[in-house]
Amino acid sequence: MIRLFLLLTILHFSTLLFGKTWVVSKDGANPSIKTTILKAQPGDTLLIKSGYFKEGNIIVNKSLVLIGQGLPVIDGENKYENFTLTAPFVTLQGLKIINTGISDVNDISAITGESVKNLRIIDNIIEDAFFGIHLKGSTNSLISGNKLKARNQRDAQSGNGIHLWKCDSIRIINNTVEGHRDGIYFEFVTHSVIQGNVSHHNLRYGLHFMFSHNDEYRNNTFKDNGAGVAVMFSKKVKMFNNLFMENWGSSAYGLLLKEISDCIIENNRFYKNTVGIYLEGVNRGTFANNQFRENGWAVKLQASSIENVFEKNNFVGNTFDLSTNGSLTANRLDANYWDKYDGYDMGHDGIGDIPFHPVSVYSMIVEKMPTAVMLWRSFLVFMLDRAEKLVPVIIPENLRDDHPQMKAYDISS
Amino acid sequence: MMKIAKYALLDILRNRFVLFYTFFLLLVSLSMFSLDSDSSKATLSLLNIILMVVPLVSIIFTTIHFFNSYEFIELMLSQPINRKAIFASEFIAVSAALCTSYLVGIGIPVLLLNNSAESMVLILSGLMLTLVFVALGFAASISTRDKAKGIGVALLFWFYFSLIYDGLLLYIIYSFSDYPLEKITLMLVSLNPVDLARIVILLKLDISALMGYTGAFYKNFFGSSLGILYSLGVLGLWVIIPFLISIKVFLKKDI
């Protein structure tokens, strides 16, 4: 696989070396991108000089390299799809793509790649697109350093920023997505990497995974999206070093996990979300070294989740650390730091001597009867929690941390 | 009337309890703000003080004051003065004293250290709670004959509004949890000034998101200017109704 990839890359560069360079300029010999593409041979390079291009739908059906100089503007006039890539080995770089059309029937996007491989979409600025970058059935491609921004207010009039369907081995690196429906959307995408992206103020999810296995995302920031990040129906997804923050609202989640298995979630930070992580039907997940800070619920663990392990996480300043809806939960908590822990450590080994039960009785009540949330912060609730702490009868006995840490872990950014 | 109120106020100030109370509130609010770097969190911590300590002190102080100035009231009654005026001036004196100490102890530090809309709601609700529990204190002392009984009834009031009522509410929510309860709980909340103040303050602190559908419903209601007027109006009723009842009893009572 890797060898093939290397070979292809070398091939790619060799065509680059021997190709001809066409200069597309408003006041030059080639004023139109479309006609220059007709004239060019596969492997050629188009240098697009700064200017304003209204050329409808530009179809790139040859392996060409399109490089913008001085940020040429490609206007879709709110009608057309700006670029349709139908050949492999196409590079789009340094373009400003604006005003993509909106359609209820087709997924019109600023850049579409259909059943092609080895695309490189680098350092473009995409504004007011319906869909931003849309790859279908594509493999081995790079989407890097793009800035996507949409201004739609309504869900139905807005497409996803980076939308991948049935792709494999895609690298999405250092992009910024803002104001789309879903920032980054994955469906049937495998072996892909999402790294260093910032996805914020999107209408629905910052990142949305469906049926996508063996993917990895790391060092991303998901901030203030309508509903946070959702990973559903996927296997073996790795999530490292991400920051989930300020996903605040009555149905917003830092990270929503549904029907996924064998995922690893490490070194992430969850800050000021309504729900840090919501787990439903999650099996064999590992949650380690995460920082949960000032969330409404740090972790909402539905009883349909089994064999998950939470260890070495920090829980600081959350309203509820952990809540669950069942009495029997087959998950393990170990060696976490809980700021609500008030036990003691006589052996001075940094581990509290009495176990900690992070589920409070009030959170159980609220889980059963949502209306009871109106009693929050009342004296009665305080008394209930205190009484239950002394003599636990309602909270699930096996959902406890036997080695609560006395000091918070140093979880670096 | 104002003359009697002035004398009653001087009498209150003489026993130094009000000064002590002011100092206590000041100490608590300043220490909350210095302990917590996040000022809106400190405001939230102050909520507990406002919901627990302010009502307790208000109602107990009012009751004790009433029985302590029993002889003064008797003396006044022997003069050709309207009974209503005597009672009203006592009420004005006590509430003026307690409101001033509340404003100095909590209002000024909060306004100085975290000047925002939520602080205004916090201060206003605390002020209303003071008035409500002064009125309830008068009702408790008027309806009893001796001091011990009066304090007992006052404590019962306090217990009822800050603990027992919530327990009953939880029981109702539990029993009828299959039904949509939002409107009914909204009504039931209005029957308890402490709950009403708590929810209004919590909603202002943008915690409604935690409260799911109920929170959204409450936010819609209390978030509007009509909702604020409603809650202030209900708290006002909680002052006026006990006051009117106790004045009625006082007019007929054989002192």
Side-chain angles (χ1 to χ4, degrees):
Chain A
M1 181 72 210
I2 291 171
R3 248 183 230 167
L4 180 73
F5 178 71
L6 276 175
L7 189 71
L8 288 172
T9 332
I10 290 164
L11 269 172
H12 180 56
F13 280 111
S14 61
T15 53
L16 254 182
L17 280 176
F18 303 118
K20 194 184 161 191
T21 301
W22 304 77
V23 177
V24 180
S25 168
K26 275 280 153 188
D27 43 5
N30 300 304
S32 154
I33 302 173
K34 255 185 176 170
T35 50
T36 318
I37 289 174
L38 282 177
K39 283 187 255 175
Q41 293 297 312
D44 288 357
T45 301
L46 273 69
L47 268 184
I48 303 168
K49 295 286 183 186
S50 169
Y52 199 89
F53 296 89
K54 277 187 185 175
E55 304 200 13
N57 178 16
I58 301 170
I59 298 172
V60 186
N61 51 8
K62 297 168 188 165
S63 302
L64 297 172
V65 176
L66 277 71
I67 296 178
Q69 280 190 334
L71 217 62
V73 178
I74 320 289
D75 191 342
E77 301 165 60
N78 295 320
K79 269 188 270 182
Y80 304 105
E81 174 159 299
N82 306 59
F83 281 100
T84 310
L85 314 180
T86 57
F89 294 103
V90 173
T91 299
L92 289 183
Q93 187 173 358
L95 305 170
K96 183 170 182 178
I97 303 170
I98 60 170
N99 298 338
T100 305
I102 291 177
S103 162
D104 293 331
V105 184
N106 301 315
D107 294 344
I108 297 180
S109 41
I111 302 170
T112 295
E114 203 163 344
S115 307
V116 284
K117 48 191 167 184
N118 299 71
L119 302 173
R120 287 154 53 84
I121 299 167
I122 306 170
D123 297 334
N124 300 294
I125 292 176
I126 298 175
E127 280 180 7
D128 294 312
F130 180 48
F131 279 72
I133 299 169
H134 186 175
L135 301 186
K136 312 174 210 176
S138 302
T139 52
N140 260 332
S141 297
L142 172 69
I143 298 172
S144 151
N146 301 292
K147 288 190 169 54
L148 294 90
K149 189 172 180 181
R151 295 189 184 86
N152 274 314
Q153 297 299 313
R154 277 180 48 218
D155 229 24
Q157 293 226 322
S158 171
N160 302 326
I162 298 174
H163 182 107
L164 269 60
W165 183 77
K166 233 178 167 181
C167 293
D168 185 71
S169 305
I170 311 283
R171 283 154 298 142
I172 299 174
I173 296 169
N174 297 339
N175 301 288
T176 309
V177 188
E178 181 185 349
H180 278 276
R181 185 173 62 196
D182 287 348
I184 302 172
Y185 180 88
F186 269 40
E187 191 166 348
F188 307 112
V189 178
T190 48
H191 306 103
S192 296
V193 177
I194 301 173
Q195 189 175 349
N197 301 287
V198 179
S199 180
H200 63 106
H201 297 98
N202 293 295
L203 301 180
R204 201 169 63 181
Y205 296 115
L207 172 72
H208 193 176
F209 261 62
M210 299 289 267
F211 312 104
S212 296
H213 311 314
N214 297 304
D215 297 309
E216 182 176 323
Y217 62 97
R218 53 168 73 224
N219 300 91
N220 301 291
T221 302
F222 304 103
K223 185 181 168 186
D224 201 1
N225 295 297
V229 168
V231 179
M232 301 180 183
F233 309 103
S234 302
K235 286 178 203 154
K236 294 187 182 163
V237 179
K238 295 192 182 96
M239 313 167 202
F240 301 137
N241 301 327
N242 299 292
L243 172 61
F244 302 84
M245 65 187 287
E246 291 167 16
N247 298 295
W248 194 257
S250 56
S251 60
Y253 303 90
L255 178 57
L256 167 69
L257 302 175
K258 191 178 163 79
E259 302 296 332
I260 69 165
S261 50
D262 302 294
C263 289
I264 302 172
I265 291 135
E266 282 179 4
N267 278 313
N268 300 292
R269 282 167 299 148
F270 298 87
Y271 177 61
K272 284 196 173 171
N273 303 292
T274 310
V275 180
I277 305 185
Y278 178 89
L279 296 93
E280 191 179 320
V282 178
N283 301 327
R284 298 181 298 278
T286 307
F287 302 81
N289 296 96
N290 299 297
Q291 172 101 318
F292 298 92
R293 205 182 172 86
E294 292 175 38
N295 300 291
W297 283 268
V299 177
K300 254 194 174 180
L301 181 63
Q302 301 302 94
S304 54
S305 303
I306 53 169
E307 289 180 50
N308 295 293
V309 178
F310 289 85
E311 56 185 12
K312 297 181 182 165
N313 302 294
N314 284 339
F315 292 85
V316 182
N318 303 299
T319 306
F320 301 110
D321 284 334
L322 182 62
S323 86
T324 183
N325 62 346
S327 56
L328 189 73
T329 49
N331 296 288
R332 197 161 65 83
L333 307 172
D334 199 27
N336 297 292
Y337 170 76
W338 313 87
D339 70 336
K340 293 187 181 59
Y341 180 61
D342 47 9
Y344 47 82
D345 175 24
M346 281 176 80
H348 295 290
D349 54 358
I351 300 165
D353 293 349
I354 48 172
F356 178 65
H357 293 87
V359 181
S360 71
V361 67
Y362 178 57
S363 74
M364 300 275 297
I365 292 173
V366 170
E367 199 68 38
K368 270 200 192 112
M369 304 172 283
T371 325
V373 83
M374 52 169 292
L375 291 173
W376 188 45
R377 277 193 169 262
S378 65
F379 188 43
L380 177 79
V381 165
F382 173 77
M383 298 275 280
L384 275 177
D385 276 343
R386 279 283 139 182
E388 182 70 16
K389 223 162 220 167
L390 292 177
V391 195
V393 281
I394 301 168
I395 56 179
E397 177 51 30
N398 59 348
L399 207 54
R400 65 163 189 261
D401 191 334
D402 282 324
H403 307 100
Q405 298 295 303
M406 299 306 287
K407 269 191 183 155
Y409 290 99
D410 180 23
I411 293 172
S412 56
S413 54
Chain B
M1 191 166 99
M2 279 303 138
K3 214 166 201 172
I4 307 172
K6 198 181 104 191
Y7 279 113
L9 194 59
L10 284 177
D11 185 41
I12 290 166
L13 291 178
R14 204 175 304 141
N15 75 7
R16 293 209 183 89
F17 176 81
V18 172
L19 269 178
F20 174 74
Y21 176 56
T22 314
F23 189 66
F24 167 76
L25 289 180
L26 200 61
L27 199 71
V28 165
S29 45
L30 286 178
S31 59
M32 290 279 183
F33 277 104
S34 53
L35 273 176
D36 224 320
S37 50
D38 184 358
S39 58
S40 77
K41 260 209 175 137
T43 313
L44 199 60
S45 315
L46 270 181
L47 177 68
N48 288 338
I49 301 295
I50 288 169
L51 295 180
M52 302 283 307
V53 175
V54 167
L56 181 64
V57 169
S58 304
I59 198 166
I60 294 294
F61 177 79
T62 307
T63 316
I64 292 176
H65 168 80
F66 182 84
F67 284 105
N68 281 355
S69 50
Y70 210 79
E71 282 159 10
F72 174 70
I73 292 169
E74 272 178 340
L75 179 69
M76 284 299 116
L77 287 176
S78 65
Q79 309 298 319
I81 305 171
N82 191 348
R83 272 193 172 205
K84 248 184 205 162
I86 296 170
F87 186 80
S89 52
E90 282 291 330
F91 184 84
I92 288 167
V94 173
S95 35
L98 288 175
C99 285
T100 314
S101 47
Y102 173 78
L103 281 177
V104 173
I106 288 189
I108 291 174
V110 168
L111 275 185
L112 285 180
L113 295 167
N114 181 23
N115 195 352
S116 58
E118 70 225 31
S119 310
M120 278 314 291
V121 172
L122 185 94
I123 292 166
L124 212 59
S125 322
L127 213 55
M128 287 310 278
L129 276 184
T130 306
L131 289 175
V132 168
F133 278 85
V134 166
L136 285 171
F138 272 109
S141 33
I142 282 278
S143 57
T144 48
R145 277 231 154 258
D146 62 305
K147 197 172 175 179
K149 231 183 208 168
I151 291 173
V153 172
L155 271 179
L156 197 70
F157 271 140
W158 178 77
F159 254 115
Y160 176 75
F161 286 119
S162 44
L163 195 64
I164 299 170
Y165 188 86
D166 287 346
L168 292 174
L169 202 56
L170 187 63
Y171 179 73
I172 290 170
I173 293 170
Y174 178 76
S175 311
F176 298 96
S177 58
D178 293 339
Y179 299 92
L181 284 173
E182 277 72 28
K183 278 181 191 155
I184 293 169
T185 50
L186 192 69
M187 202 190 75
L188 290 174
V189 158
S190 311
L191 295 178
N192 182 351
V194 179
D195 275 354
L196 192 64
R198 178 171 54 79
I199 287 172
V200 168
I201 296 169
L202 280 180
L203 286 176
K204 261 283 168 258
L205 289 166
D206 194 30
I207 300 169
S208 58
L210 290 187
M211 297 181 162
Y213 176 70
T214 314
F217 180 81
Y218 282 15
K219 180 108 191 165
N220 268 349
F221 184 77
F222 288 115
S224 63
S225 49
L226 194 76
I228 299 265
L229 277 182
Y230 169 81
S231 46
L232 282 181
V234 169
L235 283 175
L237 279 183
W238 269 104
V239 182
I240 292 164
I241 291 171
F243 177 75
L244 287 181
I245 289 173
S246 32
I247 216 170
K248 204 173 167 196
V249 175
F250 186 75
L251 285 182
K252 287 182 187 156
K253 196 176 178 183
D254 178 22
I255 299 279

